[in-house]
Amino acid sequence: MATSIRNTKMLLRRAFSVKRNETLARNLCFTRTLNANEDQDDSKKVVAEKKNKAELREAKQKEAKAKLNMLLESMSKTTSKAFPSESTLSLATPKIRAKPAKPVKRTAVNTKIEPEMLQAVEDVSNMLSKEKEASKNSLIAKLEAVADESERARLEPFKPNKQKTEDLNSLLNTLKVDGKKPKNKPPAPKLAPVKVEDIYGAQPSGIFSKAHFKEESSAVSGLATWDMLYERELELAVTHPPANGFQQMIRWTKQGKVWQFPIDNEQGLDEEAQVGFHEHVFLEPHLKPWCPRRGPVRHFMELVVVGLSKNPYLTVAQKKEHINWFRDFFEAKRSILIDTGAIPDITTKSSPSIST
Amino acid sequence: MTNAIKLNQPVRNNWTDWRMMKDNRRRKLLVQYAPERVRAKALKKNDVLPPEITEIGAKMLADIPRDASLTRVRNRCAITSRPRGIVTRWRLSRIVWRSLADYNKLSGVQRAMW
């Protein structure tokens, strides 16, 4: 790590030095060219002077080139500076511990055959034959061959081998089935297949006329909450409750549950609107068939009717039902009413005569 | 806004408290026995019919369960179940009403200033 850092530092320094050399070389070149240009721009001098100058220039150029070469060579020299391979610093080194001896690996690790199979092969060869190694190897070779074939077959698409199928078929045909089944029952009598044209043409056979079919015993689960929750789950699966307020409002608008503007207090009460006020107010015809014309009962019922006629909250049906209830009540308490004298007794009532 | 406090726990009901639940039960009974009650009361409270009938009416009225009485119903706050300080039109307690009004959730409700 330290050496690497140092190496990089050295590299950087080298780079800078190279750069400096390069800049130096560049400056030299530029100055040369600039000077040359200046000389050309000046007024024409004597040819001899020019010649001398040219010679001088050439010499200088050569010098510069030589210098450049030198610098380049020095660069290469600096790059080939030898550094010690090992660091001169005395750093902490780990203790060299004797590694534990590794167990000798098996040379033949069979990936095709499972280790259990290998073990079995080993046991068999040890038990059976004298030439253990040879038998083991032959068995392994056979297993490997089988594994290879199965792999190939697995990878390739199945093509039925005609020869093999023929062999199999012949084999199966030659196989004899052992008749080991106990023949307790004689074979059922075979009926000839019946051709039926009209299914409902014949008379009913009456086989099931005396049959007593048990009712399907639906076992009471006893888990009422679970059943209820299950049904709820089913409903939720089928229906789609609204996911947000917008969907809810859309749904309600479609169902007509939302108030329409301008607000009408009787929105939704269309059937009631069709019923005329006369049915609400004039309820005396409902008393006519049963109520006596005079007496406390009539008095009471008149009060009831007046109250109902002023009631805007009940429907006509409800009002009728109210009156009918009283009719039934008074019918039930008829004896009491007669005893008290509320209702005139019809049976004892004699025909009106002039004498009385 | 619901009055269900415990939303993620197993609960027996989603009423704010048992008093609210009982009040709701009373309201249901009230609706159920309303016609019977009216008729029995009419039979009882009149001096037109003979007293025998009136007694029968009184008996009928007594047979109706007590929770079906209107006087037993209490207008509680729909959210907190507060029995007092209810703003009737919104069926809310004054505290809840105020908080909702401040957050502009009540239509047409504004801070009074005159």
Side-chain angles (χ1 to χ4, degrees):
Chain A
M1 178 68 176
T3 50
S4 68
I5 290 167
R6 220 182 316 116
N7 287 340
T8 50
K9 279 188 184 169
M10 290 305 297
L11 278 165
L12 280 166
R13 251 176 252 145
R14 252 179 272 141
F16 279 124
S17 64
V18 160
K19 261 224 159 173
R20 246 180 267 142
N21 293 335
E22 277 180 0
T23 49
L24 270 169
R26 219 181 290 135
N27 286 338
L28 275 167
C29 294
F30 278 134
T31 45
R32 292 265 359 125
T33 50
L34 277 169
N35 290 337
N37 289 338
E38 276 173 14
D39 289 336
Q40 282 172 14
D41 286 340
D42 287 337
S43 58
K44 290 184 183 176
K45 289 180 180 175
V46 185
V47 177
E49 284 183 356
K50 272 193 184 175
K51 275 189 186 174
N52 283 333
K53 281 195 178 175
E55 281 174 8
L56 279 168
R57 256 182 259 150
E58 274 179 28
K60 279 187 183 175
Q61 275 180 4
K62 278 182 186 172
E63 268 187 56
K65 276 185 186 174
K67 257 196 180 175
L68 260 175
N69 286 329
M70 271 256 295
L71 285 166
L72 287 166
E73 275 169 30
S74 71
M75 268 162 55
S76 63
K77 274 181 192 168
T78 51
T79 48
S80 64
K81 201 174 176 182
F83 286 103
S85 55
E86 288 178 16
S87 64
T88 50
L89 295 169
S90 61
L91 300 166
T93 51
K95 288 181 194 173
I96 298 163
R97 283 182 192 159
K99 285 183 186 175
K102 280 186 187 175
V104 177
K105 276 190 184 176
R106 275 191 211 171
T107 49
V109 181
N110 243 322
T111 50
K112 293 173 196 171
I113 311 167
E114 289 163 12
E116 288 172 4
M117 287 281 271
L118 281 170
Q119 188 61 41
V121 159
E122 267 193 51
D123 292 338
V124 161
S125 59
N126 287 337
M127 273 212 296
L128 289 177
S129 62
K130 289 179 185 175
E131 300 168 32
K132 293 172 188 175
E133 281 296 314
S135 63
K136 190 173 138 189
N137 288 334
S138 64
L139 278 168
I140 284 168
K142 265 217 161 173
L143 282 169
E144 279 188 354
V146 167
D148 280 335
E149 207 179 296
S150 63
E151 268 290 311
R152 257 188 285 121
R154 190 172 68 84
L155 292 167
E156 287 173 9
F158 175 68
K159 285 176 193 171
N161 196 345
K162 279 191 180 177
Q163 183 60 38
K164 283 191 180 173
T165 49
E166 274 181 38
D167 293 339
L168 259 177
N169 285 337
S170 62
L171 187 69
L172 287 168
N173 289 334
T174 52
L175 282 172
K176 284 184 185 175
V177 180
D178 294 327
K180 285 185 182 177
K181 292 177 192 171
K183 290 183 182 177
N184 293 325
K185 304 173 196 172
K190 285 187 182 177
L191 300 167
V194 180
K195 283 187 182 177
V196 183
E197 284 156 9
D198 183 18
I199 299 167
Y200 296 104
Q203 289 290 315
S205 58
I207 296 165
F208 298 110
S209 56
K210 292 179 186 175
H212 302 287
F213 291 109
K214 284 186 197 173
E215 276 187 18
E216 281 184 12
S217 61
S218 59
V220 179
S221 59
L223 300 166
T225 313
W226 279 85
D227 293 335
M228 186 255 290
L229 288 170
Y230 175 68
E231 271 164 38
R232 191 180 156 206
E233 278 279 340
L234 289 175
E235 279 176 30
L236 284 173
V238 172
T239 66
H240 297 284
N244 51 45
F246 293 113
Q247 283 184 11
Q248 196 182 54
M249 286 305 285
I250 290 162
R251 191 174 282 223
W252 283 345
T253 313
K254 283 180 183 171
Q255 289 171 352
K257 287 185 181 177
V258 173
W259 283 107
Q260 311 292 329
F261 289 96
I263 296 289
D264 174 26
N265 277 332
E266 284 159 20
Q267 183 188 315
L269 301 170
D270 296 327
E271 286 178 33
E272 259 317 294
Q274 286 166 9
V275 173
F277 80 99
H278 58 280
E279 287 185 58
H280 279 276
V281 175
F282 303 121
L283 295 164
E284 200 266 335
H286 297 297
L287 294 179
K288 204 173 173 184
W290 62 275
C291 201
R293 279 182 223 126
R294 288 181 198 288
V297 172
R298 182 79 192 193
H299 188 23
F300 177 76
M301 286 316 297
E302 289 260 310
L303 288 168
V304 166
V305 160
V306 164
L308 285 176
S309 69
K310 292 183 185 178
N311 190 330
Y313 303 110
L314 298 177
T315 59
V316 174
Q318 281 171 324
K319 290 180 184 179
K320 277 189 204 173
E321 206 256 312
H322 198 76
I323 291 164
N324 291 338
W325 185 90
F326 277 112
R327 181 196 63 200
D328 298 334
F329 175 78
F330 288 131
E331 200 56 45
K333 311 294 174 189
R334 196 183 174 75
S335 58
I336 298 167
L337 288 169
I338 290 164
D339 288 337
T340 53
I343 290 174
D345 200 1
I346 298 164
T347 53
T348 55
K349 195 179 176 184
S350 56
S351 59
S353 58
I354 303 162
S355 59
T356 51
Chain B
M1 195 191 246
T2 57
N3 60 7
I5 292 169
K6 298 170 188 175
L7 285 168
N8 299 319
Q9 298 175 34
V11 289
R12 289 186 193 279
N13 59 62
N14 276 316
W15 298 112
T16 308
D17 57 6
W18 294 90
R19 288 176 294 175
M20 192 194 256
M21 192 186 77
K22 286 194 280 184
D23 186 67
N24 180 263
R25 198 174 62 202
R26 282 183 200 119
R27 282 165 193 272
K28 290 219 169 78
L29 279 173
L30 181 67
V31 167
Q32 187 192 336
Y33 284 99
E36 261 186 61
R37 215 185 154 76
V38 164
R39 287 152 196 169
K41 201 169 169 187
L43 286 172
K44 179 189 170 183
K45 293 197 173 178
N46 78 86
D47 55 356
V48 172
L49 290 170
E52 287 81 6
I53 304 293
T54 310
E55 279 164 26
I56 292 164
K59 193 173 172 296
M60 278 167 67
L61 197 59
D63 286 341
I64 295 166
R66 276 195 188 176
D67 271 351
S69 165
L70 182 63
T71 52
R72 282 185 157 234
V73 157
R74 180 82 195 187
N75 289 339
R76 288 181 164 273
C77 172
I79 291 159
T80 54
S81 177
R82 197 165 193 270
R84 294 194 172 96
I86 307 296
V87 187
T88 310
R89 196 166 159 192
W90 287 269
R91 302 181 195 171
L92 297 173
S93 86
R94 56 177 176 81
I95 301 152
V96 175
W97 188 93
R98 188 163 170 272
S99 63
L100 286 175
D102 283 341
Y103 281 100
N104 203 20
K105 306 287 180 184
L106 302 178
S107 171
V109 172
Q110 197 186 10
R111 283 246 161 201
M113 192 164 37
W114 73 96

